[in-house]
């Protein structure tokens, strides 16, 4: 019938549009234009092993506690989802160096590889050490971070706490061991 023929033509047309879209994306990439594959970013959680040693993680915890003794765990607040934290950039010089050399730089490479983003455009917007404690803040509501890609690196041994981890809406839970982490779409 005529209606079936029209539907078949529309389906063929959609396939052609898809191919043209792919070609257009490749042309943009070839010209140096930054193209973001949002589905790839939103649909992936990348586990990263051995980012920090136990010694480095312990040092970062100690540096965070030292900072918190001076200014508290809430010196600066996050907008919608407040955490009990201290900013890495306000901790000791050694803590900042550990984070830059062992967390930021290697994760920038991993983000570029796994999420197909240009490394020249990857930068850290915020970095903090969060303290979760029984009887106080133990979790956050589901939310999106204010970044394209977010990273979480665990500073605690799994045996040091119950529960915890990061739960996504698909009910998957990630509980990286000390020094390990995850990368995921923040926006």
């Amino acid at each position: 019938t005529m209606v079936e023929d029209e539907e078949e033509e529309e389906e063929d047309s959609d396939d052609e549009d898809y191919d043209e879209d792919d070609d257009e994306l490749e042309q943009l990439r070839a010209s140096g234009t930054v193209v973001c594959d949002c589905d790839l970013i939103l649909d992936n959680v990348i586990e990263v092993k051995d980012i920090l040693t136990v010694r480095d993680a312990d040092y970062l915890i100690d540096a965070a506690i030292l900072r918190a003794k001076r200014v508290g765990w809430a010196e600066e607040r996050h907008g919608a989802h407040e955490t009990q934290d201290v900013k890495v950039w306000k901790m000791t010089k050694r803590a900042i160096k550990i984070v830059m050399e062992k967390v930021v730089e290697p994760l920038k490479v991993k983000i570029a590889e796994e999420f197909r983003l240009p490394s020249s455009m990857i930068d850290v917007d915020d970095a903090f050490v969060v303290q979760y404690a029984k009887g106080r803040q133990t979790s956050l509501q589901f939310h999106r971070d204010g970044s394209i890609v977010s990273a979480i690196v665990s500073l605690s041994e799994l045996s040091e706490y119950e529960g915890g981890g990061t739960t996504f809406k698909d009910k998957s839970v990630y509980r990286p061991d000390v020094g390990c982490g995850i990368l995921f779409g923040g926006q």
Side-chain angles (χ1 to χ4, degrees), residues 7-121:
E7 285 177 6
E8 284 179 24
E9 284 178 24
E10 284 180 23
E11 286 177 19
D12 290 343
S13 171
D14 287 345
D15 288 342
E16 288 172 16
D17 287 345
Y18 181 75
D19 293 339
E20 288 174 16
D21 288 346
D22 283 350
D23 290 341
E24 185 177 343
L25 286 174
E26 288 309 313
Q27 288 172 356
L28 284 170
R29 284 188 179 110
S31 73
T33 302
V34 176
V35 179
C36 178
D37 184 345
C38 295
D39 290 336
L40 174 72
I41 292 170
L42 289 175
D43 294 340
N44 277 316
V45 176
I46 308 299
E47 294 182 80
V48 186
K49 302 288 184 192
D50 303 321
I51 302 164
L52 294 170
T53 64
V54 171
R55 184 176 175 191
D56 288 335
D58 286 345
Y59 182 82
L60 292 175
I61 291 170
D62 292 343
I65 290 169
L66 179 65
R67 178 73 184 165
K69 282 182 181 177
R70 289 190 207 131
V71 298
W73 283 98
E75 178 182 15
E76 292 181 36
R77 305 307 304 160
H78 298 274
H81 300 281
E82 295 181 356
T83 55
Q84 298 294 309
D85 63 58
V86 295
K87 302 294 182 190
V88 167
W89 315 129
K90 294 188 175 185
M91 292 170 31
T92 66
K93 288 179 183 177
R94 180 173 168 210
I96 294 168
K97 182 177 180 182
I98 290 169
V99 170
M100 287 303 297
E101 291 178 0
K102 297 187 178 182
V103 179
V104 172
E105 292 309 318
L107 289 185
K108 284 173 72 171
V109 171
K110 192 77 169 166
I111 290 167
E113 289 172 2
E114 297 289 344
F115 294 97
R116 297 187 208 143
L117 295 170
S119 56
S120 62
M121 296 189 72

